[in-house]
Amino acid sequence: MSMRRRTVLKAMVVGGTMAGAIGRVTTAGGAPVDTGTSRYGRWVRRHGLPAFSYEADQEALPEAEWDPVLAPRTRRHWTMLGNRAIQLQAANDGTVALFDESAGLRWLVAADPVGTGVSVLDDGIVWGSAFAQRAGETPSRRTFGPTWFEVRDVRDGLELERTILCPEGESPWVLVRVRLALAGNARGSRTLRHVERWQLAPRFLNLFEPVAQRRTRAAQIAYDVQTTARGLLAVERFPAAADFTSGAPARLVLERLGRTEGSARQDGAVPHPALEIETSLVLRPGERRELWFRFGREDATPVDDPRRVFDRSLRALASRLPQGTSPDAPIAEREIPWHAALLTGGLSLDRVVGGHTLDQASTYSFVMGFNGAARDPLQHALPLVYTEPAMALSVLRNTCAWASVDGNLPYALDGAKRPTNIIFRPSDQNLWALWLAAEYAAATGDLAAFDAPLPYHPSRGAAAVPLREHLRRQHRFFTDGVGRGERGHVRILNADWNDLAIGDSGVEPAVMIERGGSVLNSAMASWVLGVFAGLAERLGETALVTEARAQSEELRQLVAAAWNGRWFHRAYAPGVAPVGDDDCWLEVQPWALLCGAADATQARALLDVIDAGHRAGSPLGARVRWPAPPDAVAAGAWGDATSGGIWYSINMTLVWAASRIDRALAWDEWRRMTLQSHTEAYPDIWEGTLSGPDAWNATESTRPGRTWATTAFAMQAFPVSNLHSHAQPLLAYLRLLGVEPTTRGTLAVGSGGRFRSPVFRLEREGHGRLRAQGPVMLETARGTVTGDAGIVRW
């Protein structure tokens, strides 16, 4: 029996978790559920794009209750949607919240414990779009779209359909469409009142500030509410000498749009009133009426025809999102545009630093209050190179601006967008900037971008320099500031990718920080410096080319020497055994393959080890470490976070590396990354249905299929909308199609699936086209193709 066959059989029997292999699973209540079907609803197509119709009654479904660990148990399920200026938290209770990080991390209106933004109807009985005010026993239908959220309910022939849309572009407000329709067989006309209601509830996210303190600070905010020609304007009033670290006080508007009539008022709640617009109307049988509103930051943009804005946004969305299909993963047809929508929904205009950021989000932003690590926006932007390259460049510029003038990237920006290291000083961050720059240039040919001046973060007080100079300084800091440690490897400092590597290494922390060598970052640097040298050569940076290529080759040889006969070591420290000699740390292995440190025999043997160990019985992908210590498993201390958890960012590199050696394994690993795989394995768990965290708990965990938690902070507190769960499947899919930059400054493209975006198309047979902004060279199965600005075909 082959090793692959043994792995599949093992996956089918470990704890019943591989629902896709078994065929059916059993819920906690004992009722069988068809595999691939969520307990909460089903996928549909709306406006030509995937959407999820949430049809469950979460109050009646026992499995719907979940534990955020650091907050009370809840039945509220949500995800984040957005445009380039604002993010919408849409939830199964029919309410929403609005997040804005343009001037600082903050909730304009928070969900605490529930959100706002509801329709209230009075047609003799008061009901509305909030699930708590639903019309009857049948659950309302709540639909999560790529950039919109809709609630539909019916009572006695009167239908309410409420849609909240984040318009395409940088509008800092949401557009609300309320459709009211009376059935044609209704007995007579219906007189009713509709109230558009938004409860003001601010939250300011200072880094690590306790929830109670945030509520106390929010209670200090008052609002000056003014009546306008179309609605209400609410201006925040900060207390004297208060520092809310999020820019100027917000000016929030609730307006009726188009021909919508109504009277505006505020609920007298103090200090945070509710803004309301009431509309009275009479509906005849068979009649349909539309009411239009917008809520959010005050904006000078007029909206004379809201229906046109709504329809134009949906058309632009459908044309903007990429499409993907492959015979090896049919689910790509649904997941590629969905992941792209939720990824770009995390883009945010940055009014402090400039450009756009692509925050890691989830618990880090929405709960803890920081944008970090710096590597995260950079790696999230990588797939945008092939869908929205202007945004990829904007994120590159924004993140490079965080650095000090010597090229040192801080760990993060805090809630007020100030550079901070918290407690971490990673040694890999510059590599991500060099990588994104190289990939952007290879795919677009936009070499002029590297001569455009880029200001530093305002706190640096430094003069603007061209982007190429930022990259030179970052390379120099990586070379001299990070430097080398034990056995000549890149210093680990107090973290490389793995924030907990020092503690998990078993080596004295001070020694490891000062002298420890990271095989992971040596392997990654070998590959990154190789492709960065290709960019430097195109930019005419001769000395930089020579140095980067020499570094790349030297590091490759050092990584090759880290092979222990089964896998590559993880790290070194003086006077102790290598870290990762007895167990295999996954994060280093794909990079060792990608940089060319393994020969063909070693590469095949390493993939077999990973397949039989890290991947075995794991429906969501390879565990980050293996084997699992039996005593740790028995104690319930294994399978979470970096102790055997499953990480999107690491498994993306595994898919990529495996695609060069074993495409069947690579495609299988990609399929395990999908939302569909999580639903098949864990149909009762909400997270993983539409979005996810940065890491999943493995089958050995006491909470399999959920995510990590500590007593201080928990991904489980906000277990969705981490952008790794959307960026990494997109980038891994492109790598499976052979799309990647080369050390020659060119772009390699392969075949095996379809990917289509407004700027890049690749067909299954390997031909395609690229919209270039400057000179490009593509290495295809049909030979090398060159082109200049415009459409390049092969």
Side-chain angles (χ1 to χ4, degrees), residues 9 217 275 499 556 629 738 740 750:
L9 289 177
R217 283 160 52 81
L275 306 185
D499 291 340
R556 184 193 66 78
E740 61 178 281

Side-chain angles (χ1 to χ4, degrees), residues 12 18 64 81 122 125-126 131 207 248 258 291 314-315 370 381 411 425 482 501 512 523 701 758 764-765:
M12 293 174 64
M18 278 295 284
L81 314 168
D122 184 350
I125 293 177
V126 177
F131 194 74
L207 181 59
L291 308 177
L314 293 179
R315 288 195 300 271
F370 72 92
Y411 181 76
R425 188 189 174 202
V482 173
M512 198 66 175
S701 168
R764 180 181 173 186
E765 299 79 11

Side-chain angles (χ1 to χ4, degrees), residues 278-335:
E278 180 179 310
T279 304
S280 298
L281 61 160
V282 177
L283 285 179
R284 297 184 297 272
E287 185 179 7
R288 178 187 295 269
R289 294 279 295 276
E290 285 186 347
L291 308 177
W292 293 91
F293 309 91
R294 68 169 163 179
F295 176 80
R297 283 193 181 269
E298 184 183 35
D299 181 26
T301 305
V303 183
D304 298 324
D305 188 346
R307 184 180 293 108
R308 182 182 178 190
V309 174
F310 190 93
D311 293 342
R312 186 174 57 203
S313 285
L314 293 179
R315 288 195 300 271
L317 176 68
S319 64
R320 172 174 66 84
L321 295 181
Q323 304 294 320
T325 57
S326 172
D328 293 296
I331 196 61
E333 183 175 6
R334 182 174 80 201
E335 301 234 354

Side-chain angles (χ1 to χ4, degrees), residues 203-236:
R203 287 294 182 275
F204 301 88
L205 302 182
N206 288 352
L207 181 59
F208 292 127
E209 189 176 63
V211 172
Q213 187 175 353
R214 289 175 181 168
R215 290 174 177 163
T216 298
R217 283 160 52 81
Q220 300 174 44
I221 295 291
Y223 289 88
D224 295 324
V225 180
Q226 308 165 24
T227 302
T228 69
R230 304 291 296 181
L232 297 166
L233 169 65
V235 182
E236 290 176 338

Side-chain angles (χ1 to χ4, degrees), residues 386-507:
Y386 304 95
T387 60
E388 300 181 42
M391 288 296 100
L393 176 61
S394 188
V395 172
L396 173 63
R397 288 172 57 86
N398 175 276
T399 314
C400 283
W402 298 11
S404 55
V405 292
D406 64 353
N408 185 7
L409 278 170
Y411 181 76
L413 300 183
D414 68 10
K417 293 183 174 284
R418 297 171 298 205
T420 178
N421 284 323
I422 310 178
I423 60 172
F424 297 116
R425 188 189 174 202
S427 59
D428 67 325
Q429 302 216 102
N430 302 115
L431 295 174
W432 298 92
L434 305 183
W435 175 2
L436 177 56
E439 188 138 0
Y440 174 80
T444 67
D446 181 17
L447 301 184
F450 297 92
D451 290 320
L454 172 60
Y456 280 93
H457 189 285
S459 68
R460 303 298 187 191
V465 297
L467 177 57
R468 68 162 74 205
E469 179 61 23
H470 279 266
L471 297 172
R472 277 195 216 104
R473 293 176 183 182
Q474 288 206 40
H475 171 263
R476 183 50 47 204
F477 182 84
F478 177 76
T479 300
D480 300 333
V482 173
R484 302 293 185 89
E486 187 69 9
R487 303 197 190 186
H489 284 275
V490 173
R491 287 175 67 202
I492 196 170
L493 300 181
N494 77 343
D496 41 18
W497 163 81
N498 185 339
D499 291 340
L500 303 180
I502 300 299
D504 291 346
S505 70
V507 177

Side-chain angles (χ1 to χ4, degrees), residues 569-585:
H569 289 144
R570 176 61 172 82
Y572 297 110
V576 297
V579 177
D581 192 41
D582 295 327
D583 60 347
C584 181
W585 297 49

